[in-house]
Every structure is written in structure tokens, then in C-alpha cells.
Amino acid sequence: MLMTESTAPQTPPGEPRTVLLRGGDVHSPADPFATAMVVERGHVAWVGSEGAADAFASGVDEVIDLEGALVTPAFTDAHVHTTATGLALTGLDLSGVRTLTEALERVRAHAVARPADKVLLGHGWDATRWTEQRPPTREELDRAADGRPLYLPRVDVHSAVVTTALLDLVPGITELAGYHPDAPLTGAAHHAVRAAAHAAITPEQRTEAQRAALCRAASLGIGTVHECAGPQISDEQDLRGLLQLAEEESGPRVVGYWAEQVTDAKGAQRVRELGAIGAAGDLFVDGSLGSHTACLHEPYADAPHTTGVAHLDAAAVAAHVTACTEAGIQAGFHAIGDAAVTAVVEGVRAASEKLGLARIRAARHRVEHAEMLTPETVAAFAELGLTASVQPAFDAAWGGEDGMYAQRLGVERARTLNPYAALLRAGVPLAFGSDSPVTPLDPWGTVRAAAFHRTPEHRISARAAFTAHTRGGWRAVGRDDAGVLVPGAPADYAVWRTDSLVVQAPDDRVARWSTDPRSGTPGLPDLTPGAALPVCLRTVVSGHTVFVRPDE
């Protein structure tokens, strides 16, 4: 239990309190052996030793006895779909289902439990994990949903199965690209049914979902989320409502991105007016591997008739990057397949030839996912100053010789995916996220997934992974002064109950040196697979407490 005591008059409502935390471990490069920290006016004021903390005790509003707990910077999740995350938390979640039969039973029970919903919503199915190895047919869904409209996107949210009643709400659906009479919908057909389903969500449902997602994030030590919105993912009302909710209520900070192609200053200004800091996030260059829509140079191993879908070519990428750079906002793209990544690199390079490399690098444009990289595209990311906004949980979920990646690409190509070590060696900035609800909000699990990558040569140290999930997210939005507990930094931090601290690195020689006191390397929790992950006791954003675990 964290013990607190007030030692001075309380600060006025709305102002962050001056707090001394002591008696624990403070993860700070300013002092690798720090056990105490002072927070004042929403910023870190001091970190240091327990003995020196006595000098501050009488001048603060509150003293928190950490009782051995660990204090770290709060996590930043660099890729989240907040409303969809909340709907998955409050609605039908099929991510844990292991058979088609069980999935249909869940749909049937959900339909009975939600009689008033205009459209039934679910999420998370993955037929590659099911015994039957196939998605439900439309007839099976119609029966399970009792003839009601149902929207059920695949776990990657790039295809969906739906009922006949939902199709009836979309005039002309059978003429759209990606429509299949009895197979998951992709492309334009999928976007159309998703828009129809989301249009049926009431404002109250939307706010409830957003609040649920932000509360879950806070309970996991996440202080900031990057909302990756866009016209093919959500809508303007959704983004505006989320940013307003985050402004008005206590919770994690929300940074908004709007994934719409920009070609001129007017388009860039519209992005700003929405409250977004960039025309980035899920601006689709391609789709996903699971749905066979990621754009590849060579055909899929399990679908040799296709190389996926290309939504933007290098010329379109160049036009977008040029317009965004000239307007002073970030550009960014969703690119998963190797052909899509090539298109991004070629387009950004063309923009640099027009505007100058220095301007492109200074803008810190982003690439989301960036899974299928080659040594050449890794080098190009470094040259062009691109941030790789990546999701290590994807490898944990779909990597390995028996995983979805190997099914889609073959074992050899699958082994090249998500090469985090190569990116770091090249100097490419990493920002970690979840793409929730594609994979759950789970920051320590994300750090573990990178440190224990299924392909050993792609592993990075736990410390580097932790940095990518804390400071990396801040750097991805142009802030180099945050995501770390040093004097002057924003007081975004989390308090954790955990076991002894260690230093974990893929090279045992590095790990042995890092644990030597002479190295001055602060430890982190043991993230070995199977070990219990830390439990969040408290989350603080800009000096304001946004989560306290009950009974602690």
C-alpha cells in the first residue's frame, strides 16, 4: 500500500500538487540509483537519494511513501483507435475464441443481451487460430444474429464478416471493390459497411466507449495515447469528441492524427482545425497480411494469385509529404508489405529532392507498422529521418514458424519481419504502440515482445524497448524533453508493484556489464516470458493523478 500524508495546505483545484515520492526506485538517467523524486507545477523538479529527500519533506503538499515500489515514466502508446478499443472492452470481443462454433455462440448470446442496439458490433476474430480454419459464412451469421445487422471485423480490422441485414443498409454494396458474396469484405466494400455500422452508434455509446478505453489505458500506466483517426477508420465527430473528452476529464493525454491525403495548404489547415497534429496514422498505402491485402513484391505463399492491394503509389506519397512539410505538419502512412514500404521510401525521397533533405528530416514523418523491411529500406528510413511506429505484440501474436506470418509468407520471408535490432543499429527512431484493439493495450507485454522477439536476431534490450514505449512516443510528436524522469520534464509517471529489478539484453556480455554498478544503468522489471508483469498502482499525467489502484 502506498502511504501518503499531507504536509502543507492543498493546492487550488485544478493545479497539480507538489509531491515528494520516496522510499522506492526511481527510473531516471539523471541518477541511476535514485530512490526519491519531487514533482512541482506539473514537472519533475528533482530526483535523488533517500537521504537528500529529507530536505524537501517540509515544503511539499504531499509525501508518498513508495514502500519499495518502482517509479517510471508513464508509457506512450503511439498507435491507438480509442473508440474501437472501448467498443471491444464494452461489447463483443472474440479475440480469445478458439473455434468457429464458440464464435457463433458468442454472437448469439450477444444478440440476446443487446436487444435495443440498432447494429450489433464485435471485434477480434482470427480464423487462423480456429480449429475450422475458416471464417463464418453469411448464412451462419444471419442465424446467430437472428437476422439483425451485425458488423464483425477481423482482428486486423482490414476485413469483416457481416450479416445480410447490414448489407441491406448499404445501397450499391455489391458493386464496390472488395465485395464477396460469401467471404470477408475488404477494401471499399468493407469501408462502406463499417461506416454504416458506426453511424448507428449513439453519441452516448461513443463517449462511453472512449471513456472506457482511456480508463483502461490509465490503469496500465499509459499517460499518452496517439489516436490514429481518419475518414476510412472513424469520422470527424469521433475525433473531435475524443479530444474534447480528454481535455475535460481526468485521464491520459490524447494526441490526434487524421489520416487523410493532403495536397495543398487548405487541406493541411483542415487537419489542424480538427485538432490533429498531423495528416498521418492509418493513411493506407496497403492493407494487412492477415487479410491478404498488404502489398507485396512477390505473391502470398498461401494465395499465389495475389500480391495484395496498393492504395497509394510513390507519386501520391510524395505529393502528401511535400504538402504536409510545406504546411509544417507531420505526414505519415500505414505500410506493412515490402512493396508498400518501398512506395513510401520512394515517395519521401522524391519529396526530399524537391524540398531538401534537412526539411524532410526535421518534420519527423512517420510510418506505421513497417513490418516487411529490407536492409535497403531500413537504411532509407534512417537517411530520411522517418520514425518507425511499430507494434511488437504483432510478432508475439503472429510470428514464429507456425504463426500467421509463416502461413501467409512462408517461413523464410516471415523471419525477416519486424527487424527492431536492425532499425536501432541504423539509428531509426522507434515508437511503440498496440494498434489497439488489434492487439490489446499492454505496455509491459509490448516491451517483453520486443526483448524476446520470436526471431532472435531481431531482439533488442528491454531498456531500448522501454525507451521506445516511453520517450519514443514523445519524440514521434516532436518532443525531445519528455518521456524521461529528469528535472524539467513533464511529470508523467507511473508507480509499479514489481519484483527485483534486472538488466536484460540479447547479448549476455552487455547484460553482465550493465548490472555492474560502474555502468550506472537503471534496472527494469524481469520480463522473461512467464514472469509476472508489473502491476500499476498509480498513473500521473502532468502532475495530476489519473489512476490509483483500489485498496492500495
Side-chain angles (χ1 to χ4, degrees):
M1 178 181 294
L2 297 179
M3 302 299 294
T4 68
E5 65 176 294
S6 294
T7 58
Q10 297 224 349
T11 53
E15 291 187 18
R17 294 164 63 81
T18 300
V19 178
L20 167 63
L21 300 98
R22 63 186 306 177
D25 291 291
V26 178
H27 187 91
S28 171
D31 183 347
F33 309 108
T35 60
M37 179 173 75
V38 173
V39 172
E40 184 177 23
R41 296 177 184 172
H43 290 77
V44 177
W46 172 85
V47 293
S49 66
E50 187 64 26
D54 290 335
F56 297 95
S58 62
V60 299
D61 301 314
E62 184 180 12
V63 176
I64 297 178
D65 182 354
L66 295 169
E67 296 186 336
L70 170 67
V71 182
T72 72
F75 286 101
T76 293
D77 193 312
H79 194 117
V80 175
H81 303 287
T82 307
T83 301
T85 296
L87 291 171
L89 290 170
T90 59
L92 174 60
D93 182 3
L94 298 179
S95 59
V97 168
R98 290 296 176 264
T99 70
L100 172 59
T101 300
E102 183 185 353
L104 292 171
E105 290 173 352
R106 293 272 190 97
V107 169
R108 191 172 295 110
H110 185 69
V112 171
R114 308 282 295 201
D117 288 4
K118 295 181 180 178
V119 174
L120 299 169
L121 300 169
H123 172 76
W125 64 270
D126 183 355
T128 66
R129 298 180 178 179
W130 291 354
T131 304
E132 297 86 351
Q133 289 288 298
R134 69 169 180 86
T137 65
R138 190 160 298 142
E139 182 182 354
E140 288 171 331
L141 282 183
D142 286 346
R143 288 199 304 267
D146 196 24
R148 294 167 62 188
L150 167 69
Y151 171 65
L152 209 57
R154 190 184 181 278
V155 63
D156 58 17
V157 201
H158 284 270
S159 59
V161 290
V162 302
T163 57
T164 303
L166 182 58
L167 292 178
D168 291 342
L169 299 179
V170 187
I173 183 66
T174 60
E175 306 303 317
L176 295 179
Y179 173 80
H180 307 284
D182 201 18
L185 305 183
T186 60
H190 174 220
H191 296 156
V193 294
R194 176 165 56 193
H198 287 180
I201 300 172
T202 66
E204 293 76 18
Q205 282 178 298
R206 190 191 305 265
T207 300
E208 175 194 16
Q210 292 172 344
R211 188 176 289 121
L214 294 178
C215 287
R216 173 63 66 87
S219 75
L220 296 170
I222 297 171
T224 301
V225 300
H226 295 181
E227 165 64 16
C228 291
Q232 293 184 328
I233 302 161
S234 51
D235 57 42
E236 295 181 10
Q237 181 184 359
D238 185 88
L239 177 60
R240 290 183 191 276
L242 174 62
L243 294 176
Q244 182 177 351
L245 180 71
E247 185 70 25
E248 294 175 349
E249 297 189 4
S250 175
R253 179 186 296 100
V254 177
V255 176
Y257 284 97
W258 182 251
E260 187 167 12
Q261 195 170 358
V262 169
T263 56
D264 54 27
K266 183 178 179 180
Q269 180 59 29
R270 204 179 76 80
V271 170
R272 282 199 180 95
E273 290 171 353
L274 286 173
I277 70 165
D282 278 331
L283 179 53
F284 296 118
V285 178
D286 67 346
S288 74
L289 292 166
S291 293
H292 292 103
T293 52
C295 192
L296 313 182
H297 285 304
E298 300 294 334
Y300 283 84
D302 63 345
H305 59 281
T306 183
T307 56
V309 179
H311 297 296
L312 297 176
D313 61 13
V317 169
H320 181 73
V321 170
T322 299
C324 288
T325 305
E326 290 179 329
I329 64 174
Q330 278 183 297
F333 305 92
H334 162 119
I336 287 179
D338 50 3
V341 173
T342 296
V344 169
V345 165
E346 291 178 352
V348 177
R349 183 171 283 124
S352 75
E353 291 169 355
K354 179 178 181 179
L355 301 179
L357 181 59
R359 287 186 70 184
I360 295 298
R361 289 179 59 87
R364 302 192 190 190
H365 301 308
R366 298 170 55 139
V367 183
E368 309 298 318
H369 316 310
E371 295 192 69
M372 293 187 70
L373 295 163
T374 64
E376 292 75 22
T377 50
V378 168
F381 271 45
E383 173 197 357
L384 299 166
L386 296 173
T387 295
S389 173
V390 294
Q391 296 75 40
F394 286 8
D395 175 73
W398 303 312
E401 295 191 357
D402 298 322
M404 182 271 288
Y405 289 154
Q407 292 180 33
R408 294 289 185 266
L409 303 172
V411 172
E412 291 306 314
R413 268 199 296 177
R415 286 195 185 114
T416 67
L417 266 61
N418 303 304
Y420 304 137
L423 287 163
L424 279 183
R425 284 195 300 269
V428 176
L430 295 183
F432 281 178
S434 62
D435 198 9
S436 180
V438 175
T439 56
L441 299 169
D442 180 15
W444 285 114
T446 296
V447 174
R448 170 186 279 171
F452 294 91
H453 197 294
R454 289 177 178 271
T455 305
E457 58 263 36
H458 299 331
R459 292 174 181 171
I460 61 177
S461 70
R463 183 185 182 193
F466 178 77
T467 299
H469 215 349
T470 50
R471 197 170 192 180
W474 283 93
R475 286 172 166 167
V477 297
R479 291 281 300 273
D480 294 328
D481 61 338
V484 61
L485 299 180
V486 297
D492 283 32
Y493 63 89
V495 181
W496 307 91
R497 182 171 64 235
T498 187
D499 293 329
S500 59
L501 305 181
V502 299
V503 175
Q504 293 175 305
D507 187 331
D508 183 57
R509 293 169 300 172
V510 175
R512 286 201 306 272
W513 163 247
S514 297
T515 55
D516 189 303
R518 292 171 294 174
S519 73
T521 302
L524 287 168
D526 182 2
L527 300 178
T528 303
L533 293 176
V535 175
C536 185
L537 305 178
R538 179 183 297 239
T539 305
V540 176
V541 176
S542 294
H544 294 280
T545 299
V546 299
F547 169 77
V548 176
R549 182 162 296 280
D551 303 322
E552 294 287 349

